[in-house]
Amino acid sequence: MASRSLVAWACLLFVLLLLAFGGAPAEARPAPGSRHRRVVIAPTPTLISTNAAADESTVPFNKAAFSVHRKLLAENNKPPKAAAPPESSGNINVESYGAAGDGRSDDTKAFLNAWAKACSSAEPTVLLVPAGKKYHVKEIPLSGPCKSEITFQIDGTLVAPEDKSDWNKQGYPHWISFTNVDRLTVTGKGTLDGTGKSSWKNSCRTNHKNPCTFAPAALTFTSCNHLKVHNIKLLNSPQVHLLIQYCKDVELTSITITAPSNAPEADGIHISHTEDIRIIKPVIKSGDDCLSIATGVKNLYAYKVECGPGHGISIGSLGKDNSDAQVSNITIDTAHVTGTLYGARIKTWQGGSGYAKEIKFLNMIMDKVKHPIYIDQYYCNQFDPLKPKPCEEQKTAVQISNVLFKNIKGSGTTKDVISLHCSKSFPCQDVILQDIDLKMKGGAKKTMSSCENVMLKQSSNVFPAPCTSVATKNDHVPEDSSD
Ligand SMILES: *[C@@H]1O[C@H](CO)[C@@H](O)[C@H](O)[C@H]1NC(C)=O
């Protein structure tokens, strides 16, 4: 105890000496333009209300804070830390970077510049697109790695170019795409309007004489780990609305996707090569799959899905062009599917390899769905007039196993409401049907179930009784435009 008070006295003496000689220890004086860490309130992840101009300005030397600091220094009797590097945190508003938001000007550059600033910031940043305005932007590739967390807050409307010539012709075009950005959050009450009409008109699905080309996905995430996307609305994408690939740990909450039922290839959410995904309460109306779960997807949980119109909730297609597929641990829990071609579907091509396993479709209400429960291992959907249809039976197929359809009720618009069409060489294994009640719309005609090469593990409380008819390949639903 005696030695501690001795130290305290020594410190006090030291401080008094300092005060007497009017000098502060050089290293304790904050460098101009920096706030001293030890006396500033801890940085919070969302600093609000500074704009870009303020970020660049110097912070005035704070006398009061400095004297507090000196007191702390005396009490702790520790050497002061080196001054913190300049901070450039807070809100970045795209308008501070020249975005006009007038619905006419090209705001692409402003967005790119604002992103560059956010991405190089050492502190967490909110990149704001203000509400109530329309920003015309062409393709904007936003890439990382970034120095800190970014929240892309879209409150206004982004509008894509209508003119096709504005899209990149090399490879697969993307409208707004994020690559290599970890811990990104995209949120806000705003809308991404893909103005897809002209692309839909040129699609080979709309007119089979057109060559099959790629049109842009509206919003793409590639190699983004710990990604969150909340609340935003996607409208009329040229093709896929939300594309997620090569990511890990993804959370999608309350996303709204809207396009007409005749928008070709306009999947709602298409995911490939991604692990650990939670999709909560999406509302998806479009012209293709509401959810499309492609190869490389593992550990996906979707809850409270509103789907339709569209082509339903799909695993696949898998195994195209003799490719290898790997999909496992997929749960769709609670879904309302209305006015779609399919409800719960798994689709694979002949000639593929790999697996689709541990798949659960639970608690689904089907409302006027053409084919509510559907496994198709003879999926074939080739519109390119230059290519022959690769539909013939082949020696290999993606192995489907361990699939549960449970508590699925409602109405179909064709008789065959439970169709399980598996491959001859790789029959489906361990398929379970439980608590199913599917009637024809209006309740008039009796429904039935067709099966082919499927090993049902068990089934209980299923109406219509599973596999009442053994299908032949001729029973297949023609795939024309009803992909
Ligand atoms: C399956 O995925 C869920 C997420 O949907 C996850 O919580 C669970 O741990 C996964 N199971 C396995 C065996 O990896």
Side-chain angles (χ1 to χ4, degrees):
M1 292 303 116
S3 72
R4 188 190 273 184
S5 63
L6 197 64
V7 169
W9 278 110
C11 290
L12 190 61
L13 191 66
F14 177 66
V15 170
L16 286 172
L17 278 171
L18 282 176
L19 288 172
F21 288 98
E27 67 273 34
R29 187 196 294 273
S34 78
R35 278 167 270 168
H36 205 288
R37 280 299 173 76
R38 300 187 59 183
V39 290
V40 172
I41 294 157
T44 50
T46 29
L47 291 173
I48 317 292
S49 85
T50 54
N51 60 26
D55 287 338
E56 248 100 83
S57 72
T58 54
V59 176
F61 176 63
N62 185 333
K63 243 185 184 170
F66 183 58
S67 81
V68 174
H69 171 71
R70 204 154 49 184
K71 199 162 148 240
L72 286 171
L73 180 67
E75 281 165 7
N76 292 345
N77 187 30
K78 279 183 196 154
K81 277 189 192 159
E87 293 169 356
S88 55
S89 62
N91 259 13
I92 292 178
N93 188 326
V94 290
E95 298 205 338
S96 308
Y97 288 81
D102 58 8
R104 293 186 312 273
S105 314
D106 179 359
D107 289 332
T108 311
K109 267 221 175 88
F111 274 68
L112 290 171
N113 290 340
W115 173 260
K117 174 72 179 175
C119 189
S120 62
S121 167
E123 295 289 330
T125 305
V126 177
L127 180 47
L128 178 68
V129 180
K133 292 187 174 180
K134 282 191 175 179
Y135 301 86
H136 267 274
V137 290
K138 296 181 180 170
E139 281 179 72
I140 43 176
L142 305 172
S143 42
C146 297
K147 284 201 175 151
S148 190
E149 284 170 45
I150 296 178
T151 300
F152 202 124
Q153 171 103 21
I154 304 172
D155 288 334
T157 300
L158 306 192
V159 184
E162 246 165 288
D163 188 351
K164 253 191 142 224
S165 63
D166 281 334
W167 297 109
N168 175 13
K169 278 156 212 76
Q170 277 141 25
Y172 192 100
H174 299 275
W175 180 31
I176 295 164
S177 69
F178 296 88
T179 307
N180 270 322
V181 186
D182 285 356
R183 305 196 177 278
L184 172 68
T185 300
V186 175
T187 185
K189 54 185 190 312
T191 299
L192 271 58
D193 181 352
T195 62
K197 245 185 205 163
S198 63
S199 299
W200 305 335
K201 249 191 300 185
N202 294 322
S203 166
C204 62
R205 309 254 179 140
T206 308
N207 181 347
H208 289 201
K209 287 190 187 109
N210 288 340
C212 292
T213 54
F214 288 116
L219 179 59
T220 303
F221 298 94
T222 307
S223 305
C224 294
N225 298 336
H226 314 295
L227 168 69
K228 291 188 171 122
V229 186
H230 300 319
N231 297 336
I232 54 161
K233 298 178 190 71
L234 297 163
L235 184 67
N236 296 336
S237 177
Q239 247 173 39
V240 173
H241 283 79
L242 174 53
L243 177 64
I244 295 177
Q245 51 190 3
Y246 303 99
C247 299
K248 193 168 174 10
D249 184 18
V250 175
E251 187 179 285
L252 312 176
T253 324
S254 305
I255 291 173
T256 306
I257 293 174
T258 314
S261 61
N262 62 355
E265 302 173 272
D267 282 344
I269 303 174
H270 182 93
I271 307 181
S272 73
H273 302 98
T274 292
E275 285 180 28
D276 305 332
I277 308 130
R278 296 164 303 286
I279 306 175
I280 313 297
K281 291 189 177 172
V283 179
I284 304 168
K285 305 172 164 69
S286 188
D288 208 320
D289 298 338
C290 291
L291 286 183
S292 157
I293 297 161
T295 186
V297 176
K298 193 175 159 185
N299 306 343
L300 179 145
Y301 179 76
Y303 181 65
K304 284 204 175 169
V305 181
E306 273 291 333
C307 166
H311 294 181
I313 298 170
S314 260
I315 315 284
S317 67
L318 304 173
K320 190 180 184 183
D321 297 329
N322 305 98
S323 62
D324 187 62
Q326 291 168 2
V327 173
S328 65
N329 191 16
I330 309 295
T331 301
I332 310 298
D333 176 4
T334 309
H336 181 218
V337 184
T338 179
T340 55
L341 282 176
Y342 302 91
R345 176 162 67 146
I346 304 174
K347 49 178 172 175
T348 77
W349 297 68
Q350 282 293 299
S353 59
Y355 57 81
K357 63 184 184 186
E358 297 142 32
I359 295 164
K360 295 186 180 112
F361 289 100
L362 314 173
N363 312 318
M364 298 176 75
I365 305 277
M366 304 286 181
D367 191 1
K368 290 174 245 126
V369 173
K370 195 168 180 192
H371 304 283
I373 294 179
Y374 203 79
I375 295 181
D376 183 9
Q377 291 217 276
Y378 294 90
Y379 179 73
C380 189
N381 174 358
Q382 189 67 269
F383 295 113
D384 202 327
L386 303 175
K387 290 182 186 168
K389 280 195 158 202
C391 299
E392 274 71 57
E393 176 122 24
Q394 296 187 41
K395 286 200 178 69
T396 61
V398 176
Q399 174 72 66
I400 293 176
S401 67
N402 205 338
V403 183
L404 172 64
F405 296 95
K406 185 176 174 177
N407 189 24
I408 299 180
K409 318 238 149 117
S411 64
T413 59
T414 49
K415 225 176 142 196
D416 190 1
V417 285
I418 307 175
S419 324
L420 309 173
H421 298 238
C422 299
S423 185
K424 200 169 169 185
S425 45
F426 287 78
C428 295
Q429 291 176 1
D430 296 337
V431 176
I432 301 177
L433 296 161
Q434 249 175 36
D435 305 320
I436 309 237
D437 187 5
L438 291 165
K439 306 209 160 62
M440 275 287 275
K441 180 187 150 197
K445 281 189 215 150
K446 258 189 93 178
T447 49
M448 56 164 281
S449 158
S450 68
C451 296
E452 183 179 5
N453 306 312
V454 59
M455 297 177 181
L456 279 187
K457 198 170 170 193
Q458 66 192 78
S459 65
S460 59
N461 197 18
V462 178
F463 180 87
C467 306
T468 39
S469 123
V470 176
T472 65
K473 259 204 292 179
N474 300 336
D475 292 343
H476 278 239
V477 183
E479 286 285 359
D480 59 296
S481 62
S482 60
D483 139 76

